[in-house]
Amino acid sequence: MNDSLVVFKNVVKLFGEFVAVKEFSLEIKKGEFLAIMGPSGCGKTTTLRMLAGLDQPTSGEICLNGKLMNDVKPSERDTPMVWQTLALFPFLNVIKNVEFGLKMRGFSADERRIKAMTWLKRLEIEEFASRDISQLSGGQRQRVALARALVTEPKILLLDEPLSALDAHLVIRMQSVLTRLQRELDITFVYVTHSQSEAFAMADRVVIMAKGEIEQIGTPREIYRAPANRFIAEFIGRNNIISGSILDKKENLITLQSKAGPFSVSSPEKLSLEVGEKLNLVVSADVITVSEKKPEADNVIECSLIGEEFIGSIVTLFLEAKGGIEFKAQIQQREIQNLDIRSGSQLFLSWPTASGHILPK
Amino acid sequence: MASKTSKGLTWYAATWRLPNLVWQFLFFVVPLAFLFYLSFWLVRNYRMVPGFDSVNWVKMLSKDYFWDAYYFTFCMALVATVITSCIAFPCSYGLAFKTSNATRRWAIFFLIIPFFTSYLVRIYSWQVILAENGVINAALGYLGLNPFIMLNTVVGTLVGYLTLALPLVVILQTLSLSNIDRSLIGAAENLGCGRLRVVFTVIIPLAKIGLIVGAVFCFILSFGDFVSPYYLGGSKPPTLSILIIDTTKSGQQWPRAAVVAVSMILTLLVVAFAAVTAAYRKRT
């Protein structure tokens, strides 16, 4: 029994000369929360629009529920979408917006009202049923857009950066609303975003795209701890990327010679590496320990502090090691009180061998 | 302190508005008031005498030919408005949604060109085309068909009204359709709304203001036009504007012509106000 709901097979999308999506192949499982993440212009929204039928693939196949969708009109697909702009109809009030999809499918006025009210209640906006869209706040509009998309009980919901216009605290609330809904309904969510925190907080699987191609597919944890290449390591932020060459290789331990000194790292199982080979080591900023006295640890480096970024409970320190190599370290705000942090302070960074990650080229 | 600034700003704003207010007062309100006043004057020995007598109003409004002309003019303007809006819409739709920006720019440029030439010149050229031995009937005769009389009929008048209003209505509709947020159309299709149904359930409600404003312009231009019913419609039956000409020609009856003119202006004010109210009314 095949459990994929959506299959993209070698999908290509050209806009004139511009290649928006190239050779895109992906299977999306039933009941999965999949996030497609990437920088602006990476083709993630185009991919979603092709799934909804709003853009036609130049070549390749898109199947939904085992049926080839290439020539199916958008209005005949059951792939409701929550738009980045929300795209609520300004000439209809809240409940009429929610009823829209039901009306198009020929439900009677009574059925429409009952179903729409059920969804408004479920999303806690039933008191606004007869309001105009212009009278709602951003968060309330968001919920109307969700209700409108879900009222027809689809098997899949497409979301195109739906939270990008909301305030930070509302984003967190809507994230929990979305994950809870997805679990309760047990339907597939395909969520397009450029925000790492949204993708990692909600998705079962994350697809990272760049320049129209898939760079990596994996769980948030896999992508965070083991980025597949330099682009992803840089894209998901707060990573230290250290270039160097292999000095020594023993069983499953590699010693890497870099400008800042030698570092040891566990050897990845899948890669066969030779001594002298150049490679990149990724150490994410949150696995680094900062101390004033030189600690006993696998990897230690002395740095001078050049700056700090304070965003609440977490502080990011920016430091410089010898050879001009910059390091980032994230530590808890309460830990920083024991440290002497002035510009130019000498501090020691350390991390265990197992926390480093070798980038496959 | 604060009140001083706000007062200063008010004066500043008023200074800029003043020329417009003066212009509107001198050249719109004053002549209109004079026209209204004129409708109460009297004519003695073919000469106008200032006065204040409602006799002109009583005379005009009790005449059947006035009400016939009023009804005919209103219906013709209404028919022209419906025909113009219906012809313009597919054209504007195509320009707004099915053409590139460059094509749309050129199209709007070409729609402005008719306004370079005098309306009267364009109407004369229609005479050549519509006449009994004109271009169209020559073509029909070539196909072995009898000539179709268009000149000096309501068909002629309507052709004239369309000449006057169609380019403007297409421009107004195209501009309002181009401003529609495309994602709303996508959203409607995404929710199961077919292409044709999108036009009626989403596009027309979204472009409502532009469509109504276009229609109002067409109504106003047709209702008050004198050239088309005179040169293409043969003045039969007369419209209100032709009635004004006839009234002034027969015995210097300027006050009675003023009665017709004031009733026309009142009609247009009511129509325009009702239409704009409908355009901006919220629909739920």
Side-chain angles (χ1 to χ4, degrees):
Chain A
M1 188 65 197
N2 190 353
D3 68 344
S4 346
L5 182 69
V6 178
V7 179
F8 283 91
K9 211 160 131 193
N10 302 325
V11 172
V12 175
K13 177 64 185 177
L14 305 173
F15 289 111
E17 296 279 290
F18 177 71
V19 186
V21 174
K22 56 181 159 191
E23 293 295 317
F24 187 93
S25 294
L26 174 71
E27 291 193 12
I28 304 173
K29 297 191 200 82
K30 280 179 187 148
E32 174 176 41
F33 197 135
L34 181 97
I36 302 178
M37 183 174 123
S40 319
C42 72
K44 55 190 193 298
T45 295
T46 307
T47 307
L48 197 74
R49 287 176 62 90
M50 285 194 286
L51 183 51
L54 297 160
D55 281 326
Q56 258 56 53
T58 310
S59 69
E61 291 180 353
I62 299 173
C63 295
L64 181 67
N65 233 347
K67 193 183 157 210
L68 184 65
M69 299 305 279
N70 288 36
D71 297 323
V72 180
K73 287 181 194 157
S75 57
E76 284 155 18
R77 301 182 184 206
D78 196 14
T79 51
M81 183 154 146
V82 178
W83 299 65
Q84 184 171 14
T85 58
L86 300 184
L88 296 171
F89 302 118
F91 52 89
L92 299 177
N93 66 14
V94 168
I95 192 154
K96 290 264 164 74
N97 261 283
V98 177
E99 284 180 24
F100 191 89
L102 297 169
K103 196 173 176 184
M104 295 305 127
R105 282 171 175 75
F107 283 84
S108 74
D110 288 342
E111 279 178 291
R112 295 205 300 260
R113 188 143 293 256
I114 292 165
K115 279 175 188 274
M117 275 318 283
T118 313
W119 272 98
L120 291 180
K121 280 204 187 88
R122 186 162 189 171
L123 290 164
E124 295 161 8
I125 44 171
E126 74 268 29
E127 66 204 272
F128 308 114
S130 51
R131 289 250 188 117
D132 263 356
I133 298 301
S134 58
Q135 294 172 297
L136 300 185
S137 72
Q140 290 159 353
R141 285 178 204 204
Q142 190 70 58
R143 287 163 189 261
V144 177
L146 261 177
R148 185 179 71 172
L150 288 168
V151 73
T152 54
E153 293 163 22
K155 291 195 179 62
I156 185 166
L157 180 69
L158 312 181
L159 303 109
D160 182 17
E161 310 222 18
L163 307 184
S164 57
L166 295 184
D167 294 341
H169 70 282
L170 271 177
V171 169
I172 306 290
R173 273 189 63 189
M174 284 310 293
Q175 282 179 359
S176 68
V177 170
L178 285 172
T179 37
R180 205 186 63 221
L181 266 179
Q182 195 264 341
R183 259 177 226 137
E184 287 171 4
L185 298 169
D186 197 27
I187 64 172
T188 306
F189 275 31
V190 182
Y191 189 99
V192 161
T193 182
H194 65 270
S195 153
Q196 180 192 336
S197 64
E198 287 175 24
F200 283 11
M202 293 187 283
D204 301 321
R205 259 197 325 159
V206 177
V207 174
I208 301 208
M209 284 183 80
K211 293 177 183 154
E213 283 180 299
I214 295 179
E215 295 284 337
Q216 188 172 4
I217 305 176
T219 63
R221 189 171 299 272
E222 280 165 8
I223 288 174
Y224 188 61
R225 287 296 175 221
N229 55 42
R230 197 181 173 107
F231 166 78
I232 296 168
E234 282 170 358
F235 182 66
I236 60 176
R238 302 297 175 241
N239 272 321
N240 296 295
I241 304 170
I242 306 160
S243 319
S245 54
I246 299 178
L247 192 67
D248 188 26
K249 191 183 162 210
K250 274 191 214 114
E251 289 174 20
N252 54 5
L253 198 71
I254 290 175
T255 309
L256 179 82
Q257 181 61 50
S258 77
K259 278 191 210 159
F263 298 110
S264 64
V265 58
S266 311
S267 174
E269 289 162 20
K270 288 173 195 162
L271 298 172
S272 58
L273 298 162
E274 302 294 323
V275 172
E277 205 168 328
K278 286 196 185 336
L279 49 73
N280 290 313
L281 168 66
V282 177
V283 181
S284 86
D286 63 325
V287 300
I288 293 178
T289 311
V290 183
S291 50
E292 275 178 28
K293 293 202 181 82
K294 191 168 184 174
E296 286 297 316
D298 301 331
N299 294 297
V300 180
I301 183 161
E302 189 179 7
C303 295
S304 59
L305 187 68
I306 51 178
E308 63 174 312
E309 182 188 75
F310 171 61
I311 49 154
S313 62
I314 302 265
V315 178
T316 306
L317 299 179
F318 297 88
L319 308 108
E320 193 177 80
K322 69 176 180 191
I325 296 191
E326 267 190 40
F327 278 90
K328 285 166 280 193
Q330 276 183 338
I331 57 172
Q332 293 287 327
Q333 167 64 18
R334 59 185 151 74
E335 289 172 36
I336 211 167
Q337 287 157 3
N338 310 323
L339 297 169
D340 169 35
I341 49 158
R342 280 172 292 117
S343 188
S345 304
Q346 293 296 306
L347 296 166
F348 290 95
L349 306 184
S350 60
W351 65 91
T353 297
S355 296
H357 167 69
I358 296 280
L359 280 184
K361 308 212 184 154
Chain B
M1 189 70 186
S3 65
K4 202 176 174 183
T5 349
S6 75
K7 204 170 182 184
L9 271 174
T10 317
W11 275 108
Y12 178 76
T15 315
W16 284 104
R17 285 190 203 122
L18 201 61
N20 185 31
L21 287 173
V22 170
W23 179 275
Q24 288 286 337
F25 183 76
L26 283 181
F27 298 104
F28 182 69
V29 177
V30 171
L32 200 63
F34 180 69
L35 188 73
F36 189 63
Y37 177 43
L38 190 68
S39 70
F40 294 97
W41 286 19
L42 297 164
V43 178
R44 298 240 162 81
N45 296 327
Y46 302 103
R47 212 168 268 173
M48 281 192 284
V49 185
F52 204 83
D53 197 327
S54 60
V55 64
N56 300 310
W57 285 90
V58 175
K59 280 250 166 83
M60 280 316 278
L61 299 188
S62 62
K63 293 282 191 303
D64 281 346
Y65 66 80
F66 171 79
W67 289 110
D68 288 346
Y70 187 92
Y71 181 70
F72 177 69
T73 312
F74 196 93
C75 288
M76 284 296 279
L78 201 63
V79 169
T81 304
V82 172
I83 293 177
T84 306
S85 296
C86 291
I87 294 178
F89 187 78
C91 179
S92 315
Y93 180 88
L95 285 176
F97 295 113
K98 306 288 174 193
T99 49
S100 65
N101 284 336
T103 319
R104 192 179 316 131
R105 261 203 307 278
W106 278 109
I108 288 182
F109 175 68
F110 283 120
L111 284 164
I112 292 172
I113 284 188
F115 296 100
F116 291 8
T117 356
S118 157
Y119 173 45
L120 201 59
V121 174
R122 285 181 281 151
I123 291 303
Y124 269 121
S125 52
W126 273 113
Q127 282 195 337
V128 178
I129 299 167
L130 299 177
E132 201 174 337
N133 47 5
V135 178
I136 292 178
N137 280 322
L140 287 177
Y142 190 73
L143 296 168
L145 296 167
N146 289 325
F148 177 55
I149 309 296
M150 288 170 285
L151 208 56
N152 301 333
T153 67
V154 288
V155 176
T157 308
L158 283 174
V159 168
Y161 287 166
L162 258 67
T163 308
L164 182 62
L166 191 60
L168 180 67
V169 175
V170 173
I171 290 174
L172 289 171
Q173 288 193 355
T174 305
L175 293 180
S176 76
L177 290 173
S178 317
N179 283 330
I180 289 180
D181 178 359
R182 301 298 169 100
S183 67
L184 291 173
I185 297 171
E189 289 185 36
N190 181 246
L191 291 166
C193 192
R195 276 284 161 85
L196 188 65
R197 208 170 172 189
V198 166
V199 174
F200 294 98
T201 52
V202 177
I203 293 176
I204 290 180
L206 283 172
K208 192 175 70 172
I209 294 174
L211 300 181
I212 291 182
V213 168
V216 166
F217 264 104
C218 182
F219 188 88
I220 292 172
L221 290 172
S222 313
F223 191 77
D225 184 35
F226 144 78
V227 175
S228 290
Y230 192 81
Y231 289 98
L232 298 177
S235 310
K236 275 175 201 158
T239 61
L240 288 174
S241 45
I242 288 171
L243 195 62
I244 290 177
I245 307 279
D246 291 351
T247 315
T248 55
K249 277 180 185 162
S250 61
Q252 290 289 316
Q253 272 297 354
W254 287 93
R256 286 190 193 170
V259 170
V260 181
V262 169
S263 4
M264 286 176 79
I265 288 167
L266 287 177
T267 307
L268 289 180
L269 283 174
V270 169
V271 168
F273 184 78
V276 172
T277 308
Y280 283 93
R281 200 187 57 215
K282 292 262 187 223
R283 205 181 77 166
T284 48

